[in-house]
Amino acid sequence: MEGGSIRNRQGKWKRSEQAVFLFRLGELLASGYHLSDALRFIESQEHAKRRAYIEEAIIRLKDGQTLHEVLLFLRFHPQLLQFVYYAEYYGDLPHALMEGGRFWSKRNQDRDKLLKMLIYPILLLVLIIVIAFLLQGILLPKFQSLYESMDMAPSFFLESILLISSISHFTPYFILGIVVIIVTVQKLWLNKLCHLQRKKYVLKIPLLGVYIRLFDTYYFTYQLSGLLAGGLSINDSIQLFAKHNHQPFFQKLSEVIFRELNEGRSLENIFKELPYFERYISDVMANGQKNGKLDQELYHYSRILLQTIEDKMIAVIKIIQPLLFATVGSIVVAIYLSVLLPMFTILEGL
């Protein structure tokens, strides 16, 4: 089978399917299967096109490629690949595969839940905007003409609606201007910054920055705990992060940490000054080194962070949903009043 034919079907692997694939593979390896046997078992449960992927993976494994290289060829997500890559160094591949699959599946579920929650209000909002434009272009001018023909002064409410209507003509240009400014700033300034400086600005974004900081801290502590548990020293683990990471931010950050470690600085002090992680990470580093269980401390801390991420996502969803419906409801009431009140005013003037 030609490599190109495999690559042309990469869109078939959705993120959720990648997560399920890794988790199932990890479960089979944990049950005692060899890697090729586990892939054969998964292959038997798949449809014909998916079997072509797995058959190609088995061939590449037999040719000496690592699982990480095979998944890279199949274009699995880089963050998922990191779980596999580092596990191949510290030896706990089954656990890492299940961990990566579980985390990615939960992340996809949260994203899908948020999208499903947003779809209905957004569609309703679009419909209301269309109705508002029709109201503005057809009904309100007729009300205005009717007031003039009856020699009546428009009510305060109608004047307010007409003022808002005239201002709303500039809304598309205003939105377009904001988009142009954002794109220009990104291309001419933000993209020219180094990855560490860029991350500092991203972390300042309200709400999103909090989530990114938590995820980066979770990712780093989990991967570092696995490397340390596999017998690597702190220096070797950080050096591995710097040399073999598909995420430029973690590459640059690891280079900085490795350089400062070689200069004799303690791990606690290094992380205390890094603005990219949760502030308690330096305390975890200190306690772990003090009791000689840094790998365990980091692993348990990563569990806490993962639960915190899930709790925050649930909290955000609970806040966004009622706000969206309240916004949509307010627009509906405003349109309703904009139609009825002028009619009542006209009737009173007769």
Side-chain angles (χ1 to χ4, degrees):
M1 179 176 299
E2 296 296 328
S5 64
I6 288 288
R7 287 179 179 273
N8 289 337
R9 300 193 203 106
Q10 292 305 317
K12 301 293 184 180
W13 289 96
K14 299 178 181 178
R15 289 190 175 190
S16 57
E17 294 173 339
Q18 294 178 21
V20 171
F21 177 85
L22 284 193
F23 187 81
R24 290 172 61 191
L25 184 60
E27 280 188 321
L28 292 171
L29 294 178
S31 299
Y33 280 74
H34 292 294
L35 184 56
S36 58
D37 294 334
L39 289 172
R40 289 289 183 195
F41 181 86
I42 295 175
E43 180 184 7
S44 67
Q45 310 299 315
E46 297 289 349
H47 54 76
K49 290 185 177 180
R50 186 57 51 78
R51 289 177 185 175
Y53 288 107
I54 302 174
E55 187 63 36
E56 177 69 11
I58 294 172
I59 293 172
R60 287 174 173 269
L61 285 170
K62 289 181 177 179
D63 289 340
Q65 291 190 8
T66 64
L67 180 60
H68 166 265
E69 291 171 332
V70 171
L71 296 178
L72 178 62
F73 170 75
L74 295 178
R75 297 181 183 176
F76 271 52
H77 195 279
Q79 290 177 354
L80 275 179
L81 291 178
Q82 295 305 124
F83 283 92
V84 180
Y85 182 83
Y86 294 126
E88 290 178 325
Y89 268 84
Y90 57 71
D92 196 359
L93 185 59
H95 181 268
L97 291 175
M98 288 190 290
E99 173 70 17
R102 187 183 298 110
F103 172 75
W104 203 244
S105 178
K106 185 65 178 69
R107 188 177 180 184
N108 289 332
Q109 288 173 7
D110 289 339
R111 186 188 62 176
D112 293 343
K113 189 184 300 182
L114 186 61
L115 289 176
K116 287 179 181 178
M117 182 199 68
L118 294 175
I119 284 175
Y120 176 72
I122 288 175
L123 289 177
L124 188 59
L125 191 60
V126 170
L127 179 62
I128 289 174
I129 289 173
V130 171
I131 294 173
F133 273 108
L134 293 175
L135 180 69
Q136 172 184 312
I138 300 175
L139 193 58
L140 290 181
K142 290 187 179 298
F143 275 125
Q144 194 172 14
S145 300
L146 186 59
Y147 272 96
E148 292 175 355
S149 65
M150 298 178 66
D151 197 23
M152 292 176 58
S155 65
F156 173 77
F157 186 78
L158 182 60
E159 288 182 343
S160 302
I161 292 176
L162 291 173
L163 177 61
I164 295 172
S165 174
S166 63
I167 295 175
S168 66
H169 285 295
F170 299 98
T171 302
Y173 302 102
F174 178 72
I175 295 174
L176 180 62
I178 292 177
V179 171
V180 170
I181 291 172
I182 292 174
V183 172
T184 303
V185 169
Q186 182 180 1
K187 289 186 176 295
L188 298 182
W189 176 65
L190 192 61
N191 288 348
K192 293 183 178 180
L193 298 175
C194 77
H195 295 285
L196 298 182
Q197 289 178 311
R198 195 183 306 170
K199 179 68 77 169
K200 286 182 181 179
Y201 288 106
V202 171
L203 291 176
K204 292 179 181 179
I205 301 175
L207 296 178
L208 181 62
V210 174
Y211 180 79
I212 292 174
R213 188 188 302 275
L214 281 167
F215 173 77
D216 286 345
T217 310
Y218 158 76
Y219 172 79
F220 186 84
T221 52
Y222 173 78
Q223 300 291 6
L224 184 58
S225 70
L227 293 173
L228 295 174
L232 294 180
S233 66
I234 293 175
N235 284 46
D236 290 339
S237 299
I238 297 299
Q239 189 176 26
L240 187 62
F241 252 100
K243 289 184 177 179
H244 303 284
N245 199 296
H246 296 284
Q247 301 178 68
F249 164 70
F250 282 106
Q251 280 186 330
K252 296 297 182 183
L253 180 63
S254 300
E255 290 173 2
V256 172
I257 297 172
F258 183 72
R259 184 174 61 249
E260 294 191 4
L261 283 172
N262 288 334
E263 291 174 359
R265 298 195 61 199
S266 68
L267 201 62
E268 176 189 0
N269 290 332
I270 293 173
F271 278 88
K272 189 176 292 185
E273 296 177 4
L274 291 176
Y276 314 105
F277 297 123
E278 290 293 300
R279 59 179 179 174
Y280 297 113
I281 191 173
S282 60
D283 297 331
V284 174
M285 294 289 183
N287 292 332
Q289 287 187 302
K290 183 178 179 180
N291 58 32
K293 297 180 179 179
L294 181 57
D295 57 332
Q296 296 179 30
E297 293 269 354
L298 289 173
Y299 176 74
H300 291 304
Y301 184 50
S302 72
R303 300 292 88 198
I304 295 173
L305 291 170
L306 183 59
Q307 185 61 50
T308 303
I309 292 172
E310 294 177 0
D311 292 342
K312 285 189 176 294
M313 280 299 299
I314 293 172
V316 168
I317 290 173
K318 288 181 178 179
I319 292 173
I320 289 178
Q321 192 169 33
L323 282 178
L324 282 174
F325 281 105
T327 302
V328 170
S330 299
I331 295 174
V332 170
V333 171
I335 292 176
Y336 184 74
L337 292 175
S338 66
V339 173
L340 289 184
L341 289 183
M343 295 177 63
F344 289 145
T345 304
I346 293 172
L347 292 173
E348 289 176 359
L350 293 177

PDB file of all heavy atoms in Angstrom, residues 186-203:
ATOM      1  N   GLN A 186      -1.415  40.426  15.018  1.00  0.00           N
ATOM      2  CA  GLN A 186      -0.874  39.067  15.098  1.00  0.00           C
ATOM      3  C   GLN A 186       0.257  38.842  14.102  1.00  0.00           C
ATOM      4  O   GLN A 186       1.303  38.275  14.441  1.00  0.00           O
ATOM      5  CB  GLN A 186      -1.988  38.051  14.852  1.00  0.00           C
ATOM      6  CG  GLN A 186      -1.519  36.602  14.956  1.00  0.00           C
ATOM      7  CD  GLN A 186      -2.632  35.614  14.713  1.00  0.00           C
ATOM      8  OE1 GLN A 186      -3.757  36.004  14.438  1.00  0.00           O
ATOM      9  NE2 GLN A 186      -2.332  34.344  14.815  1.00  0.00           N
ATOM     10  N   LYS A 187       0.052  39.290  12.856  1.00  0.00           N
ATOM     11  CA  LYS A 187       1.061  39.036  11.815  1.00  0.00           C
ATOM     12  C   LYS A 187       2.294  39.926  11.958  1.00  0.00           C
ATOM     13  O   LYS A 187       3.422  39.478  11.745  1.00  0.00           O
ATOM     14  CB  LYS A 187       0.431  39.227  10.429  1.00  0.00           C
ATOM     15  CG  LYS A 187      -0.552  38.126  10.045  1.00  0.00           C
ATOM     16  CD  LYS A 187      -1.032  38.302   8.621  1.00  0.00           C
ATOM     17  CE  LYS A 187      -1.930  37.144   8.196  1.00  0.00           C
ATOM     18  NZ  LYS A 187      -1.200  35.855   8.154  1.00  0.00           N
ATOM     19  N   LEU A 188       2.084  41.193  12.291  1.00  0.00           N
ATOM     20  CA  LEU A 188       3.196  42.135  12.320  1.00  0.00           C
ATOM     21  C   LEU A 188       3.915  42.199  13.659  1.00  0.00           C
ATOM     22  O   LEU A 188       5.043  42.693  13.731  1.00  0.00           O
ATOM     23  CB  LEU A 188       2.702  43.537  11.949  1.00  0.00           C
ATOM     24  CG  LEU A 188       2.101  43.690  10.547  1.00  0.00           C
ATOM     25  CD1 LEU A 188       1.694  45.133  10.308  1.00  0.00           C
ATOM     26  CD2 LEU A 188       3.079  43.224   9.476  1.00  0.00           C
ATOM     27  N   TRP A 189       3.268  41.695  14.729  1.00  0.00           N
ATOM     28  CA  TRP A 189       3.900  41.810  16.043  1.00  0.00           C
ATOM     29  C   TRP A 189       3.946  40.495  16.803  1.00  0.00           C
ATOM     30  O   TRP A 189       5.025  39.994  17.118  1.00  0.00           O
ATOM     31  CB  TRP A 189       3.165  42.855  16.878  1.00  0.00           C
ATOM     32  CG  TRP A 189       3.688  42.979  18.270  1.00  0.00           C
ATOM     33  CD1 TRP A 189       4.934  43.404  18.654  1.00  0.00           C
ATOM     34  CD2 TRP A 189       2.988  42.642  19.473  1.00  0.00           C
ATOM     35  NE1 TRP A 189       5.054  43.366  20.015  1.00  0.00           N
ATOM     36  CE2 TRP A 189       3.867  42.902  20.559  1.00  0.00           C
ATOM     37  CE3 TRP A 189       1.708  42.161  19.733  1.00  0.00           C
ATOM     38  CZ2 TRP A 189       3.504  42.680  21.870  1.00  0.00           C
ATOM     39  CZ3 TRP A 189       1.337  41.953  21.043  1.00  0.00           C
ATOM     40  CH2 TRP A 189       2.235  42.208  22.092  1.00  0.00           C
ATOM     41  N   LEU A 190       2.761  39.900  17.050  1.00  0.00           N
ATOM     42  CA  LEU A 190       2.710  38.723  17.912  1.00  0.00           C
ATOM     43  C   LEU A 190       3.489  37.548  17.338  1.00  0.00           C
ATOM     44  O   LEU A 190       4.241  36.875  18.058  1.00  0.00           O
ATOM     45  CB  LEU A 190       1.249  38.319  18.148  1.00  0.00           C
ATOM     46  CG  LEU A 190       1.001  37.288  19.254  1.00  0.00           C
ATOM     47  CD1 LEU A 190       1.480  37.824  20.601  1.00  0.00           C
ATOM     48  CD2 LEU A 190      -0.470  36.922  19.337  1.00  0.00           C
ATOM     49  N   ASN A 191       3.348  37.292  16.041  1.00  0.00           N
ATOM     50  CA  ASN A 191       4.032  36.151  15.434  1.00  0.00           C
ATOM     51  C   ASN A 191       5.545  36.325  15.371  1.00  0.00           C
ATOM     52  O   ASN A 191       6.282  35.351  15.174  1.00  0.00           O
ATOM     53  CB  ASN A 191       3.495  35.893  14.016  1.00  0.00           C
ATOM     54  CG  ASN A 191       2.097  35.310  14.033  1.00  0.00           C
ATOM     55  OD1 ASN A 191       1.609  34.888  15.069  1.00  0.00           O
ATOM     56  ND2 ASN A 191       1.443  35.283  12.885  1.00  0.00           N
ATOM     57  N   LYS A 192       5.999  37.572  15.513  1.00  0.00           N
ATOM     58  CA  LYS A 192       7.440  37.826  15.476  1.00  0.00           C
ATOM     59  C   LYS A 192       8.096  37.655  16.852  1.00  0.00           C
ATOM     60  O   LYS A 192       9.319  37.636  16.946  1.00  0.00           O
ATOM     61  CB  LYS A 192       7.708  39.236  14.946  1.00  0.00           C
ATOM     62  CG  LYS A 192       7.330  39.392  13.474  1.00  0.00           C
ATOM     63  CD  LYS A 192       7.682  40.771  12.964  1.00  0.00           C
ATOM     64  CE  LYS A 192       7.332  40.897  11.476  1.00  0.00           C
ATOM     65  NZ  LYS A 192       7.669  42.231  10.937  1.00  0.00           N
ATOM     66  N   LEU A 193       7.279  37.539  17.890  1.00  0.00           N
ATOM     67  CA  LEU A 193       7.825  37.316  19.223  1.00  0.00           C
ATOM     68  C   LEU A 193       8.259  35.870  19.371  1.00  0.00           C
ATOM     69  O   LEU A 193       7.759  34.974  18.677  1.00  0.00           O
ATOM     70  CB  LEU A 193       6.765  37.640  20.281  1.00  0.00           C
ATOM     71  CG  LEU A 193       6.247  39.075  20.343  1.00  0.00           C
ATOM     72  CD1 LEU A 193       5.122  39.185  21.362  1.00  0.00           C
ATOM     73  CD2 LEU A 193       7.364  40.048  20.681  1.00  0.00           C
ATOM     74  N   CYS A 194       9.183  35.627  20.297  1.00  0.00           N
ATOM     75  CA  CYS A 194       9.561  34.248  20.575  1.00  0.00           C
ATOM     76  C   CYS A 194       8.391  33.557  21.288  1.00  0.00           C
ATOM     77  O   CYS A 194       7.490  34.209  21.811  1.00  0.00           O
ATOM     78  CB  CYS A 194      10.828  34.185  21.421  1.00  0.00           C
ATOM     79  SG  CYS A 194      10.584  34.544  23.170  1.00  0.00           S
ATOM     80  N   HIS A 195       8.411  32.240  21.295  1.00  0.00           N
ATOM     81  CA  HIS A 195       7.272  31.480  21.817  1.00  0.00           C
ATOM     82  C   HIS A 195       7.017  31.752  23.297  1.00  0.00           C
ATOM     83  O   HIS A 195       5.871  31.717  23.753  1.00  0.00           O
ATOM     84  CB  HIS A 195       7.505  29.989  21.592  1.00  0.00           C
ATOM     85  CG  HIS A 195       7.534  29.608  20.144  1.00  0.00           C
ATOM     86  ND1 HIS A 195       6.400  29.526  19.378  1.00  0.00           N
ATOM     87  CD2 HIS A 195       8.572  29.317  19.309  1.00  0.00           C
ATOM     88  CE1 HIS A 195       6.716  29.185  18.145  1.00  0.00           C
ATOM     89  NE2 HIS A 195       8.021  29.043  18.070  1.00  0.00           N
ATOM     90  N   LEU A 196       8.056  32.030  24.051  1.00  0.00           N
ATOM     91  CA  LEU A 196       7.880  32.313  25.482  1.00  0.00           C
ATOM     92  C   LEU A 196       7.196  33.656  25.691  1.00  0.00           C
ATOM     93  O   LEU A 196       6.298  33.782  26.532  1.00  0.00           O
ATOM     94  CB  LEU A 196       9.237  32.280  26.195  1.00  0.00           C
ATOM     95  CG  LEU A 196       9.978  30.940  26.173  1.00  0.00           C
ATOM     96  CD1 LEU A 196      11.283  31.048  26.966  1.00  0.00           C
ATOM     97  CD2 LEU A 196       9.107  29.828  26.736  1.00  0.00           C
ATOM     98  N   GLN A 197       7.621  34.675  24.933  1.00  0.00           N
ATOM     99  CA  GLN A 197       6.986  35.987  25.050  1.00  0.00           C
ATOM    100  C   GLN A 197       5.529  35.914  24.585  1.00  0.00           C
ATOM    101  O   GLN A 197       4.639  36.525  25.187  1.00  0.00           O
ATOM    102  CB  GLN A 197       7.752  37.014  24.218  1.00  0.00           C
ATOM    103  CG  GLN A 197       9.114  37.388  24.794  1.00  0.00           C
ATOM    104  CD  GLN A 197       9.840  38.367  23.890  1.00  0.00           C
ATOM    105  OE1 GLN A 197       9.939  38.170  22.678  1.00  0.00           O
ATOM    106  NE2 GLN A 197      10.357  39.432  24.469  1.00  0.00           N
ATOM    107  N   ARG A 198       5.294  35.180  23.512  1.00  0.00           N
ATOM    108  CA  ARG A 198       3.940  35.047  22.991  1.00  0.00           C
ATOM    109  C   ARG A 198       3.020  34.391  24.027  1.00  0.00           C
ATOM    110  O   ARG A 198       1.875  34.793  24.207  1.00  0.00           O
ATOM    111  CB  ARG A 198       3.973  34.211  21.709  1.00  0.00           C
ATOM    112  CG  ARG A 198       2.701  34.284  20.882  1.00  0.00           C
ATOM    113  CD  ARG A 198       2.801  33.367  19.688  1.00  0.00           C
ATOM    114  NE  ARG A 198       3.999  33.631  18.907  1.00  0.00           N
ATOM    115  CZ  ARG A 198       4.422  32.845  17.930  1.00  0.00           C
ATOM    116  NH1 ARG A 198       3.754  31.731  17.641  1.00  0.00           N
ATOM    117  NH2 ARG A 198       5.506  33.151  17.251  1.00  0.00           N
ATOM    118  N   LYS A 199       3.551  33.386  24.705  1.00  0.00           N
ATOM    119  CA  LYS A 199       2.751  32.690  25.718  1.00  0.00           C
ATOM    120  C   LYS A 199       2.376  33.636  26.858  1.00  0.00           C
ATOM    121  O   LYS A 199       1.262  33.547  27.404  1.00  0.00           O
ATOM    122  CB  LYS A 199       3.527  31.499  26.255  1.00  0.00           C
ATOM    123  CG  LYS A 199       2.813  30.700  27.325  1.00  0.00           C
ATOM    124  CD  LYS A 199       1.609  29.959  26.792  1.00  0.00           C
ATOM    125  CE  LYS A 199       2.011  28.734  26.029  1.00  0.00           C
ATOM    126  NZ  LYS A 199       0.864  27.850  25.704  1.00  0.00           N
ATOM    127  N   LYS A 200       3.256  34.553  27.227  1.00  0.00           N
ATOM    128  CA  LYS A 200       2.962  35.496  28.300  1.00  0.00           C
ATOM    129  C   LYS A 200       1.728  36.326  27.969  1.00  0.00           C
ATOM    130  O   LYS A 200       0.876  36.576  28.824  1.00  0.00           O
ATOM    131  CB  LYS A 200       4.164  36.421  28.534  1.00  0.00           C
ATOM    132  CG  LYS A 200       5.339  35.762  29.237  1.00  0.00           C
ATOM    133  CD  LYS A 200       6.454  36.777  29.464  1.00  0.00           C
ATOM    134  CE  LYS A 200       7.641  36.132  30.151  1.00  0.00           C
ATOM    135  NZ  LYS A 200       8.755  37.095  30.355  1.00  0.00           N
ATOM    136  N   TYR A 201       1.647  36.769  26.718  1.00  0.00           N
ATOM    137  CA  TYR A 201       0.499  37.580  26.309  1.00  0.00           C
ATOM    138  C   TYR A 201      -0.773  36.736  26.228  1.00  0.00           C
ATOM    139  O   TYR A 201      -1.850  37.202  26.583  1.00  0.00           O
ATOM    140  CB  TYR A 201       0.777  38.259  24.968  1.00  0.00           C
ATOM    141  CG  TYR A 201       1.794  39.377  25.072  1.00  0.00           C
ATOM    142  CD1 TYR A 201       3.091  39.215  24.606  1.00  0.00           C
ATOM    143  CD2 TYR A 201       1.447  40.605  25.641  1.00  0.00           C
ATOM    144  CE1 TYR A 201       4.021  40.237  24.697  1.00  0.00           C
ATOM    145  CE2 TYR A 201       2.373  41.637  25.743  1.00  0.00           C
ATOM    146  CZ  TYR A 201       3.663  41.442  25.274  1.00  0.00           C
ATOM    147  OH  TYR A 201       4.571  42.451  25.390  1.00  0.00           O
ATOM    148  N   VAL A 202      -0.646  35.507  25.742  1.00  0.00           N
ATOM    149  CA  VAL A 202      -1.812  34.628  25.647  1.00  0.00           C
ATOM    150  C   VAL A 202      -2.391  34.348  27.033  1.00  0.00           C
ATOM    151  O   VAL A 202      -3.611  34.301  27.216  1.00  0.00           O
ATOM    152  CB  VAL A 202      -1.435  33.309  24.941  1.00  0.00           C
ATOM    153  CG1 VAL A 202      -2.579  32.300  25.030  1.00  0.00           C
ATOM    154  CG2 VAL A 202      -1.087  33.566  23.487  1.00  0.00           C
ATOM    155  N   LEU A 203      -1.519  34.163  28.020  1.00  0.00           N
ATOM    156  CA  LEU A 203      -1.974  33.857  29.375  1.00  0.00           C
ATOM    157  C   LEU A 203      -2.702  35.029  30.036  1.00  0.00           C
ATOM    158  O   LEU A 203      -3.363  34.844  31.058  1.00  0.00           O
ATOM    159  CB  LEU A 203      -0.782  33.440  30.243  1.00  0.00           C
ATOM    160  CG  LEU A 203      -0.147  32.087  29.891  1.00  0.00           C
ATOM    161  CD1 LEU A 203       1.086  31.831  30.749  1.00  0.00           C
ATOM    162  CD2 LEU A 203      -1.150  30.957  30.081  1.00  0.00           C
TER     163      LEU A 203
END
